[in-house]
């Protein structure tokens, strides 16, 4: 028997689908900003302080990266109330995404930081720069530039992984799709449409991230024609 597609009952729920997609975008954007901030802060602490701080950060990274994201969400949403800490489904989803992305960002940034040539660090130290200044002016931006493609991919993966938060009743796109499916019984149509929406969101995030990369990393400091090599070298090294 040939299957007859009927998208009309699904498209009648366009409003909830748009609201779910917007919440997905909000959760993902918040997780990208806060998770990247955690990754940078953790990378700085691990590089500058070392010792026990480095060990604690390594434990955080390994625990998060080697446990299921769904279990992390369950701990936040179902476990925190046992400690008398109440969070909504949306708050738990955002916290979980931030913690998860923070760990992955820390590990990705580590690769870029480790790729920094030793001579650049020694040059900064010879100028009397503190470890924090060396990290900020010499290490951080080139490290991010080196690993930005991997970071961007992780950001998009995190956006797609936000669908897992439907398990704790977050009203994002996948959760709304399940509700529409239960009302219309048009599973094929619902999830074809949702697949296209996720594809569109992934392309949107990739496009925005590419524009950010072009704005932040593609710009090069222009050197005046005829400038002496010594002046150029000083300009490149001085923070």
């Amino acid at each position: 028997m040939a299957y007859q597609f009927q998208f009309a009952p699904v498209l009648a729920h366009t409003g909830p689908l748009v609201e779910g997609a917007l919440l997905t975008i909000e959760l993902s954007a918040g997780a990208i900003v806060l998770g990247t901030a955690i990754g940078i802060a953790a990378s700085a602490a691990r590089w500058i302080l070392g010792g026990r701080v480095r060990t604690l950060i390594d434990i955080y990274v390994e625990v998060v990266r080697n446990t299921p994201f769904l279990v992390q969400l369950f701990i936040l949403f179902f476990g925190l109330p046992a400690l008398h800490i109440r969070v909504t489904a949306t708050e738990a989803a955002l916290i979980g995404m931030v913690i998860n992305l923070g760990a992955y960002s820390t590990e990705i940034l580590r690769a870029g930081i480790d790729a920094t040539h030793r001579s650049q660090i020694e040059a900064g130290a010879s100028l009397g720069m503190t470890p924090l200044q060396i990290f900020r002016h010499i290490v951080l931006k080139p490290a991010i530039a080196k690993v930005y493609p991997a970071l961007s991919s992780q950001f998009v993966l995190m956006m797609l992984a936000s669908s897992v938060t439907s398990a704790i009743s977050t009203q994002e796109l996948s959760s709304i799709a399940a509700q529409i499916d239960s009302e219309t019984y048009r599973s094929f149509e619902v999830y074809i449409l949702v697949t296209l929406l996720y594809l569109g969101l992934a392309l949107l995030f990739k496009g925005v991230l590419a524009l950010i990369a072009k704005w932040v990393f593609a710009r090069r400091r222009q050197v005046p024609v005829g400038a002496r090599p010594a002046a150029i070298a000083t300009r490149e090294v001085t923070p």
Side-chain angles (χ1 to χ4, degrees):
M1 181 180 295
Y3 184 84
Q4 294 183 350
F5 287 95
Q6 296 181 20
F7 283 96
V10 179
L11 293 176
H13 297 79
T14 301
L17 282 172
V18 171
E19 292 177 0
L22 289 175
L23 182 56
T24 296
I25 293 173
E26 292 172 2
L27 287 173
S28 302
I32 288 172
V33 172
L34 298 176
T36 303
I38 289 177
I40 293 174
S43 298
R46 182 162 62 176
W47 191 82
I48 295 171
L49 301 177
R52 293 182 179 179
V53 173
R54 183 187 184 94
T55 300
L56 290 174
I57 293 172
D58 288 343
I59 291 173
Y60 156 64
V61 170
E62 291 303 315
V63 169
V64 172
R65 292 176 67 241
N66 293 287
T67 55
F69 181 43
L70 182 60
V71 173
Q72 298 166 19
L73 290 174
F74 283 171
I75 290 175
L76 292 170
F77 189 64
F78 298 113
L80 288 182
L83 302 176
H84 305 289
I85 301 175
R86 301 285 179 180
V87 291
T88 66
T90 302
E91 292 169 345
L94 179 59
I95 294 170
M97 291 172 67
V98 168
I99 292 173
N100 191 276
L101 187 55
Y104 279 92
S105 297
T106 302
E107 186 63 14
I108 292 172
L109 285 171
R110 180 193 61 78
I113 292 170
D114 289 347
T116 304
H117 200 279
R118 186 67 187 174
S119 62
Q120 294 177 288
I121 300 173
E122 292 173 351
S126 67
L127 292 173
M129 298 171 66
T130 65
L132 180 58
Q133 290 174 326
I134 294 174
F135 181 84
R136 177 185 172 188
H137 297 290
I138 297 177
V139 176
L140 182 58
K141 187 173 180 179
I144 294 177
K146 290 184 180 74
V147 300
Y148 189 79
L151 272 178
S152 298
S153 297
Q154 191 61 46
F155 295 159
V156 175
L157 288 175
M158 189 75 263
M159 184 276 293
L160 298 175
S162 66
S163 59
V164 177
T165 64
S166 61
I168 59 173
S169 70
T170 305
Q171 296 300 296
E172 47 73 58
L173 186 55
S174 291
S175 180
I176 297 297
Q179 295 173 20
I180 296 174
D181 182 23
S182 66
E183 294 177 11
T184 63
Y185 300 101
R186 308 303 300 181
S187 301
F188 209 4
E189 291 88 337
V190 168
Y191 289 107
I192 286 176
L193 183 57
V194 169
T195 298
L196 294 175
L197 287 172
Y198 273 116
L199 177 60
L201 290 177
L203 294 176
L204 173 64
F205 271 68
K206 285 184 177 181
V208 171
L209 292 168
L211 288 175
I212 292 174
K214 184 176 181 180
W215 177 61
V216 175
F217 301 118
R219 293 183 303 173
R220 293 290 183 266
R221 183 173 298 179
Q222 297 296 325
V223 178
V225 177
R228 292 180 300 173
I232 296 174
T234 303
R235 184 177 305 170
E236 292 178 348
V237 174
T238 304

